[in-house]
Amino acid sequence: MPEKSLIENILKESLNAPSGSNSQPWEFIASQNTIKIRYLPEKDHPILNYNNRGTLIACGALIENIVITAKHYKLNPIITINEKFENNIIASIILEKSGVEEKDDLYEYIKKRTTNRNHYKKEALTEEEKKYLLNEVNFFSNCKVSIIEGDLINEIGSLLAYDTYLNFNNDHLRKLLFNEIIFDKEKAQKGERGLYIKTMEFKPPQILMIKLLRNTTFFKLMKKLGIVRTIYKDTVKMYSATNTMIGFSIINNDKEFINLGRLIENIWLRATKLNLACHLITGIFFFWQQANFGNKNIFNEEELNIINNSYQKLCELFKVDKNNYILTAVMRIGKADPPSAISVKKPPFIQWET
């Protein structure tokens, strides 16, 4: 059986998984050879978390990190996904000694993985790079990926960017957004929940404008002058600044979002190993789920039309079988300058069973 200190190290080294607004919606129950993962959906963005699916993606990415880290320490992780998530325990991982070293070790890239919202170079990936990135897709049979390159990128970027348009145009979303932005560097470095402004790659004048827009009166004035449309156009440029995008679609089942998180993290780590930048975009897809399966009253008629039209066009572009799958995320990927800042994670909260 692995020692307690080893399990603690595995969890500490696995924490660098992506989560909405760096919410880190997880905690752990551990024994001598078992790790139970409890998900904490209340820490996640309520509108971007239909049926807690955003939290499940984050926890799936975390599970992938734990699996890779355990294998690095010559342990064989046996994963059980709980059927009903009783007591919010979504999965258990039993760690058995294997003595086998990981051949394609992604372990060292877990700590290096980060979101990069810079503009990427318009350089095509090689066939070898694409093959390596998708090396483990077949292990997740209910998840599908589609790669789009070249001329269609601008159209996809313009559709994806409606998430930012809605974040500023919709009163509910705008309040949530401003509540989540962290301007204080010291607070961000402590791993507090929220979007650190430097990770969003805004220029100094843009950061000043974001601060001013927190004032409701000033925002209403600027909205009349077209600020929301300007922000949307800037987002289109950023989203479109790449040559390659990967679309992720899955069967419409809550549990599959855990596997989706694992697959996304696996590809992200492989990209990191290839020295490629990644930026995962999920906003419009979670708005679509909320608008069609959850609380559509959050959006007005114009916004519902934007969401549904954007989603349908994106499904067509990524050639999604809409009878069996839903499009859930798009990752832009490519070569870029390093990000200006990274999100910091808090140490794991571990409850030890006797």
Side-chain angles (χ1 to χ4, degrees):
M1 291 184 180
E3 295 182 1
K4 180 178 178 180
S5 60
L6 178 54
I7 291 180
E8 289 176 340
N9 284 338
I10 288 172
L11 292 178
K12 287 177 183 177
E13 294 172 7
S14 300
L15 285 180
N16 191 27
S19 59
S21 297
N22 197 31
S23 56
Q24 306 161 68
W26 49 63
E27 60 185 22
F28 308 95
I29 301 172
S31 62
Q32 285 186 319
N33 71 334
T34 303
I35 298 169
K36 297 177 183 177
I37 299 172
R38 175 183 284 138
Y39 79 151
L40 307 173
E42 65 275 10
K43 296 182 70 174
D44 243 323
H45 192 310
I47 300 176
L48 286 173
N49 202 24
Y50 168 74
N51 259 25
N52 305 328
R53 288 174 167 182
T55 304
L56 293 174
I57 291 175
C59 290
L62 172 70
I63 289 170
E64 184 67 8
N65 285 351
I66 293 173
V67 167
I68 292 168
T69 304
K71 288 181 178 179
H72 171 79
Y73 286 107
K74 299 182 180 180
L75 296 171
N76 178 35
I78 301 173
I79 305 168
T80 301
I81 304 297
N82 293 345
E83 287 296 325
K84 298 182 179 179
F85 302 162
E86 291 182 0
N87 298 318
N88 281 19
I89 305 297
I90 64 167
S92 298
I93 304 175
I94 297 175
L95 302 174
E96 296 181 344
K97 289 195 174 182
S98 69
V100 178
E101 291 188 22
E102 184 74 8
K103 291 182 180 179
D104 186 12
D105 192 0
L106 297 173
Y107 161 75
E108 65 179 285
Y109 299 97
I110 293 174
K111 62 184 176 183
K112 298 177 182 179
R113 184 213 60 80
T114 187
T115 295
N116 189 332
R117 295 184 178 87
N118 276 313
H119 288 220
Y120 299 177
K121 298 176 182 178
K122 291 277 189 176
E123 293 182 11
L125 302 182
T126 67
E127 292 302 315
E128 290 78 11
E129 287 174 327
K130 287 184 281 187
K131 182 178 178 181
Y132 178 69
L133 288 171
L134 306 184
N135 186 64
E136 295 194 20
V137 169
N138 290 337
F139 288 105
F140 303 94
S141 59
N142 291 329
C143 302
K144 304 294 182 184
V145 299
S146 303
I147 294 181
I148 289 182
E149 300 172 287
D151 295 339
L152 292 175
I153 294 296
N154 288 341
E155 183 178 358
I156 294 172
S158 67
L159 295 168
L160 293 172
Y162 279 117
D163 64 352
T164 301
Y165 175 85
L166 293 166
N167 273 323
F168 283 91
N169 193 68
N170 182 286
D171 290 339
H172 299 287
L173 293 173
R174 188 175 69 256
K175 289 176 183 177
L176 284 169
L177 175 65
F178 285 134
N179 285 337
E180 291 183 341
I181 294 177
I182 296 176
F183 292 94
D184 186 279
K185 180 179 179 180
E186 184 176 341
K187 185 177 180 181
Q189 289 179 334
K190 290 180 180 179
E192 296 294 326
R193 179 192 184 283
L195 276 170
Y196 181 36
I197 191 70
K198 289 293 182 69
T199 67
M200 301 170 78
E201 302 300 338
F202 289 133
K203 297 176 182 178
Q206 292 173 310
I207 293 176
L208 175 60
M209 177 59 72
I210 294 293
K211 289 181 177 180
L212 293 173
L213 289 174
R214 291 181 296 177
N215 180 281
T216 302
T217 302
F218 181 75
F219 175 81
K220 289 180 178 178
L221 173 62
M222 294 305 295
K223 186 175 181 180
K224 290 180 180 179
L225 297 175
I227 188 65
V228 176
R229 182 58 60 174
T230 299
I231 293 171
Y232 166 75
K233 290 180 179 178
D234 287 342
T235 305
V236 171
K237 291 178 183 177
M238 186 258 285
Y239 283 3
S240 302
T242 185
N243 188 71
T244 307
M245 288 186 175
I246 301 177
F248 297 86
S249 55
I250 63 171
I251 290 176
N252 193 6
N253 177 285
D254 291 346
K255 286 175 61 176
E256 290 305 325
F257 281 79
I258 298 175
N259 287 326
L260 173 64
R262 289 193 63 189
L263 176 58
I264 287 172
E265 182 72 349
N266 186 275
I267 291 174
W268 205 326
L269 293 173
R270 290 173 180 276
T272 304
K273 186 172 182 176
L274 294 175
N275 200 30
L276 297 172
C278 292
H279 176 201
L280 188 68
I281 304 167
T282 61
I284 202 70
F285 307 109
F286 275 100
F287 291 158
W288 178 79
Q289 290 182 65
Q290 193 66 252
N292 287 274
F293 310 126
N295 182 10
K296 66 172 61 178
N297 294 326
I298 294 168
F299 308 103
N300 62 35
E301 186 175 351
E302 178 202 5
E303 292 166 345
L304 287 171
N305 287 332
I306 289 173
I307 291 167
N308 287 319
N309 290 336
S310 298
Y311 176 81
Q312 297 303 328
K313 289 179 182 177
L314 285 164
C315 284
E316 291 171 9
L317 291 167
F318 282 100
K319 298 180 180 179
V320 176
D321 174 8
K322 291 187 288 184
N323 292 323
N324 296 299
Y325 292 86
I326 61 171
L327 189 58
T328 55
V330 167
M331 177 183 284
R332 65 186 188 104
I333 187 167
K335 296 178 181 179
D337 292 333
S340 301
I342 61 174
S343 297
V344 178
K345 310 299 180 186
K346 286 188 173 182
F349 176 83
I350 307 172
Q351 176 185 338
W352 288 95
E353 291 184 323
T354 55

